[in-house]
Amino acid sequence: MLKDFAELINLMITILLKGGWMGFVVGLIYMFWLLYKDFIQLRWYHTLPWLFLKVTVPKENEKSPLAFEEILNQLHSVQEHLTWAEKYLEGQFQIWFTWEVTSIGGVIGNYVRILPKHRNVFEAAVYSQFPDAEIEDAEDYFQKLPKYHTDTSDFDIFAFSFRYINETYYPTRTYYDFEHATAETFVDPIAGMWEELSKISPYEMYVIQFVLRPVGDEHWKEKGRQLVKRLKGEPEALKKPTDTFGKVVGAILGPVLDIFVQPGEGASAPTEKYEPPSLMLHLTEDEKLVINMIEKKLSKWGYQTKIHCLYVAPREKYNPTVINRGVIGAFKSFGANNLNALKPLMKRWTKVNYFLFKELERPIVELRLKYRKRKYMSLIRRRWYFWGPPPNIMSVEEIASYLHFPGIEVTVPHIESVTVAKIQPPPELPISDEVPL
């Protein structure tokens, strides 16, 4: 065995001396490149100022989630088109904003964290759809919450994130699927979530955080179109990837083999097999519906979206089960087995199960649980995009289905709403130039 080990060492040394060291050099260069990118990006990010805004909803909202879809369409204009120097010398990257639905002691609020340069776009988008809404600067509610420590804090948390169950190109059902044109009604699946949020106790807090990052069409729509072609059964999409090595070998050896292998006298030229342009005529109505839904999603603007949920309560009154079920159930209503659905990413949420032996694994389970809670609390509090699970690419229609103001038919007693309407003064109102003493 020692002899074999010595031969292995000699082989490795030979490889290194014969040019294998170049692989290590390339690996080191790549590692330093990643470290350099992280350094310049973090340096640039820490120079950004942020605004924390409170959005007060209209008291009687008669608009459907389509209004929120239009808001998200306008906010997509904050997408940056960065030059090479801005990316790799200054460290700039596409920034995000967050929209947070909170329930603090049963009082529901809407908060947005955004860059100051995007404030005008945000206000114009909201006021264009909800003229009676109010937008004002606010203090970050996390500033009032003491720093969390898994062992010594008086409160505890439960946190999780929503993830797609299928590929990101498959959409979930949206608010259009809950509109009844005949009865002219809209059944809002999120209404149950609003009700549960308004029922939590004064000592509890719940946060649903939407982290929204505009994404360009080139990052996802082309692959989505290829998926549509495969589902339609188009021949070009169903072809296997080209074997480049086989083509090269065939080009070299083909003429040589033709000299020795002659075709028979009665051999006829191969006939081309007719292939229909697609298999749409042979698809079921359900399969056609899936294709139409995917194409509809690809026709709209998209956001790289992360949805985090956080429950906070004193340790002695800690009970996240009821509110979590209400939120998860509301999101689950938009799911469909043949399309997509948003479900909690249970392999990362703040509940760790043992594998076989509960008592023996208890120290490891507690260690993993504390790590997850620290990570999630920091992730949600700092609103940092690059931590946590990968994003879902959601269309503006999908996001508006989950994120919108409750309609007039939804009774939410503790949602913060505008109580005094603001209107422009009449044009004939006399104005005095005198300044009172």
Side-chain angles (χ1 to χ4, degrees), residues 290-301:
V290 172
I291 293 173
N292 292 334
M293 293 291 286
I294 295 174
E295 289 180 327
K296 184 180 180 183
K297 177 173 181 175
L298 295 176
S299 69
K300 296 179 179 289
W301 296 116

Side-chain angles (χ1 to χ4, degrees), residues 234-278:
E234 295 186 10
E236 290 295 326
L238 296 176
K239 285 183 179 179
K240 294 182 179 180
T242 305
D243 184 3
T244 307
F245 177 75
K247 289 182 65 176
V248 172
V249 173
I252 296 173
L253 299 181
V256 178
L257 294 175
D258 289 343
I259 298 174
F260 299 99
V261 182
Q262 297 293 334
E265 293 181 1
S268 59
T271 57
E272 292 186 4
K273 183 180 179 182
Y274 171 74
E275 294 181 347
S278 72

Side-chain angles (χ1 to χ4, degrees), residues 25-37:
V25 173
V26 172
L28 285 173
I29 292 174
Y30 181 69
M31 182 185 68
F32 281 118
W33 167 250
L34 294 179
L35 291 173
Y36 165 75
K37 280 183 62 179

